[in-house]
């Protein structure tokens, strides 16, 4: 039995902790804040409740597997999963709209054909077939296995099978999401639909590799799910599973240094100067490890962490509304911006768009409202991290929140008249709660010559591992859970671990 210190109580860290405890190790989680869940936070006031992190879950099999591997009680016995249908309603800049069925390629094709016409559904369906090829080629080496020293194989050939496009006697193939939209989808609304998936993950559609096509594919193939009571309930369930497996949590305990001896992790030092000995250390904040240990913690051929401010953050506006949610209202509506260039300056210059793409979440959940005469609503937009834009300047956050509400009124008429109060949360709040510099949100890993890779789970220091959104395989709820499984596999089975079969 090894003593294992885990840095942080985010979803990836807790997923690793539960698996390691079941394997017989003594696991202690040190969390610098007063609660668990990382970015899965909830804001509550006057009987209203709001998820301030991701509002929906994709790939629930990741957490089903966690609960199967850590006990006999399945995930569905701890939380209620509800498949959202339609998966989303999309409002485009020209006024057209389309409601896309959940986990049904044929249904999505039919819905887009009816809403947009001109064979749009067929082109999107053909795109999803190619996206599936990219998924099949990369799923195992990219998501289900640790990042090995020969990781460059993942940044060699573009796995997305782009269609040849001839123009002026020259043949071109799409290498980015934006080029897929222009050359293969050939409809500005389909291009906006595709770009919306990239924006939701904090990825620039103009530079994102074509392999980012797997992002919409995951939703269409595996569906989107809501956790009854709010997605914070998933964090609670994982936390309680950890407690049931005798994982110890120490809250209000910030780790300031990883101790090591003779090239091997030996424990952690806390902000109050105390030392906690450990045989192994799992770092939930790998982007900080360079400052916590002497020398670079990344081994030969490994991927060094990207500066966090390369990636954007999220602005969240929680709205407490008078009046009941109308029957049949869609859970999620994406209001697409007409300002394509404005969205791109977000990534190029760190400036928020004047007309942001806004995701409107309206869960039909009595647990999140004081009574049936009220409604809780969450607006989310992708914005620059706080290191690139001064969200703390007077009036800046409220002004941008006004723009988000203006966009949301396209989906919910007379929205302003119903607002009792609002809570505005910027990347500064994300930074405070998660520790991520500037409140940046990590994207998932993407394979391609211009893809996205995060540091490997194993480091150059023996006994020191990384887990969570800033390490392999990257950000997002499913990816965090996968990182926990990978770290547990490397510790329990050793360096030859090749992922679950």
């Amino acid at each position: 039995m090894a003593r294992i210190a885990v840095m942080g109580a985010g979803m990836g860290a807790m997923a690793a902790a539960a698996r390691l405890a079941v394997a017989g190790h003594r696991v202690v989680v040190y969390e610098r804040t007063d609660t668990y869940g990382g970015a899965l936070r909830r804001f509550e006031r006057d009987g209203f409740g709001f998820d301030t992190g991701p509002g929906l879950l994709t790939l629930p099999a990741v957490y089903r597997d966690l609960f199967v591997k850590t006990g006999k009680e399945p995930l569905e016995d701890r939380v209620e999963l509800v498949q959202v249908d339609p998966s989303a309603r999309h409002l485009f800049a020209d006024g057209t709209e389309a409601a896309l069925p959940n986990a049904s390629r044929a249904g999505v094709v039919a819905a887009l054909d009816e809403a947009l016409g001109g064979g749009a559904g067929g082109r999107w369906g053909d795109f999803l077939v190619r996206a599936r090829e990219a998924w099949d080629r990369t799923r195992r080496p990219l998501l289900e296995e640790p990042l090995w020293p020969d990781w460059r194989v993942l940044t060699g050939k573009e796995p997305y099978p782009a269609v040849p496009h001839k123009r002026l006697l020259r043949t071109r193939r799409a290498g980015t999401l934006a080029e897929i939209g222009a050359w293969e989808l050939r409809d500005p609304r389909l291009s906006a639909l595709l770009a919306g998936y990239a924006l939701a993950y904090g990825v620039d559609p103009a530079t994102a590799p074509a392999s980012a096509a797997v992002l919409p594919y995951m939703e269409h193939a595996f569906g989107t799910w809501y956790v009854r009571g709010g997605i914070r309930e998933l964090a609670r369930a994982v936390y309680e599973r950890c407690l049931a497996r005798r994982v110890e949590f120490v809250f209000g305990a910030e780790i300031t240094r990883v101790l090591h001896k003779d090239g091997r992790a030996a424990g952690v030092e806390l902000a109050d100067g105390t030392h906690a000995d450990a045989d192994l250390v799992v770092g939930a904040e790998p982007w900080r490890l360079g400052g916590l240990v002497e020398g670079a913690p990344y081994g030969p051929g490994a991927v060094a962490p990207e500066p966090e401010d390369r990636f954007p953050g999220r602005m969240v506006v929680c709205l407490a509304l008078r009046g009941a949610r109308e029957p049949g209202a869609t859970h999620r509506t994406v209001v697409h911006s007409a300002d394509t260039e404005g969205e791109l300056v977000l990534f190029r210059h760190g400036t928020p768009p004047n007309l942001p793409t806004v995701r409107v979440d309206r869960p039909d959940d009595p647990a999140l409202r004081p009574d049936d005469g009220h409604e809780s609503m969450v607006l989310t937009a992708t914005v620059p991290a706080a290191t690139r834009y001064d969200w703390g300047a007077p009036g800046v956050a409220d002004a941008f929140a006004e723009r988000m509400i203006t966009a949301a009124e396209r989906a919910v008429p007379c929205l302003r008249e119903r607002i009792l109060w609002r809570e505005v949360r910027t990347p500064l709040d994300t930074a405070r709660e998660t520790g991520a510099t500037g409140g940046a949100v990590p994207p998932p890993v993407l394979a391609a010559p211009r893809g996205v890779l995060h540091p490997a789970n194993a480091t150059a220091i023996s006994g020191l591992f990384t887990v969570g959104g800033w390490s392999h395989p990257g950000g997002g709820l499913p990816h965090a859970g996968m990182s926990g499984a990978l770290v547990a596999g490397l510790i329990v089975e050793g360096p030859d671990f090749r992922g679950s079969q």
Side-chain angles (χ1 to χ4, degrees), residues 157-467:
K157 182 180 179 181
E158 168 64 64
Y160 176 80
V163 175
H165 174 76
K166 292 185 178 181
R167 184 178 181 183
L168 299 177
L169 303 179
R170 187 162 61 96
T171 299
R172 304 181 296 181
R173 292 179 182 270
T176 67
L177 279 188
E179 290 171 346
I180 290 176
W183 302 349
E184 297 181 7
L185 299 179
R186 305 190 307 279
D187 185 308
R189 296 163 298 184
L190 292 182
S191 295
L193 178 62
L194 182 58
Y197 286 101
L199 287 170
Y201 282 95
V203 176
D204 182 356
T207 61
S211 64
V214 299
L215 301 179
Y217 173 78
M218 284 192 298
E219 177 179 306
H220 288 314
F222 306 109
T224 53
W225 304 75
Y226 175 67
V227 180
R228 184 70 65 187
I231 205 133
R232 171 72 177 175
E233 288 297 290
L234 178 63
R236 175 196 56 77
V238 175
Y239 171 67
E240 291 179 352
R241 175 53 56 92
C242 286
L243 294 178
R245 298 302 170 260
R246 300 189 178 182
V247 174
E248 181 182 349
F249 286 80
V250 183
F251 294 103
E254 182 177 7
I255 293 174
T256 56
R257 190 161 64 100
V258 174
L259 307 175
H260 58 99
K261 183 178 180 181
D262 300 328
R264 182 173 182 82
V268 296
E269 181 181 289
L270 304 181
D272 62 5
T274 60
H275 288 189
D277 294 335
D279 304 303
L280 302 163
V281 176
V282 176
E285 298 171 332
W287 45 270
R288 289 183 58 212
L289 290 181
L292 297 180
V293 298
E294 297 174 5
Y298 310 102
V303 181
E306 295 277 2
E308 291 92 89
D309 64 4
R310 170 191 171 188
F311 305 115
R314 293 194 184 105
M315 171 75 87
V316 176
V317 180
C318 306
L319 298 178
L321 304 179
R322 61 172 63 88
R325 179 183 188 271
E326 65 268 25
T330 304
H331 185 115
R332 170 165 290 180
T333 300
V334 181
V335 182
H336 294 275
S337 171
D339 183 14
T340 304
E341 286 302 313
E343 296 274 27
L344 296 183
V345 299
L346 183 163
F347 295 94
R348 295 172 185 168
H349 306 298
T351 304
N354 289 322
L355 298 173
T357 292
V358 174
R359 297 178 293 284
V360 182
D361 281 349
R362 308 178 65 186
D364 185 10
D365 191 339
L368 301 182
R369 57 182 183 249
D371 53 56
D372 288 343
H374 295 84
E375 180 184 4
S376 66
M377 180 183 297
V378 177
L379 313 182
T380 309
T382 301
V383 297
T387 49
R388 304 189 70 192
Y389 191 76
D390 187 4
W391 290 108
V396 166
D398 282 334
F400 192 78
E402 285 293 324
R403 288 184 241 168
M404 293 174 63
I405 293 171
T406 298
E409 282 191 301
R410 290 177 50 202
V412 187
C414 303
L415 174 60
R416 289 182 188 277
E417 300 172 10
R418 298 178 56 198
I419 298 175
L420 290 170
W421 51 263
R422 72 190 188 195
E423 171 73 11
V424 180
R425 298 172 60 84
T426 75
L428 291 171
D429 296 290
T430 306
R432 184 184 69 252
E433 294 174 352
T434 69
T437 301
V441 177
V445 65
L446 297 171
R450 292 184 291 176
V452 176
L453 291 180
H454 295 282
N457 307 108
T459 73
I461 297 177
S462 180
L464 177 62
F465 300 85
T466 70
V467 73

Side-chain angles (χ1 to χ4, degrees), residues 59 130-148 151-161 209-215 217-218 222 444-449 451-453 472-473 479 482 486:
L59 289 175
R130 294 189 290 275
R132 177 178 179 174
E133 289 188 46
W135 171 261
D136 289 341
R137 292 173 182 176
T138 61
R139 181 188 66 180
R140 181 159 184 82
L142 201 62
L143 301 179
E144 299 176 356
E145 295 183 356
L147 193 59
W148 304 113
W151 58 268
R152 288 177 180 81
V153 68
L154 299 174
T155 58
K157 182 180 179 181
E158 168 64 64
Y160 176 80
S211 64
V214 299
L215 301 179
Y217 173 78
M218 284 192 298
F222 306 109
V445 65
L446 297 171
V452 176
L453 291 180
H472 182 70
H479 296 74
M482 292 173 192
L486 294 176

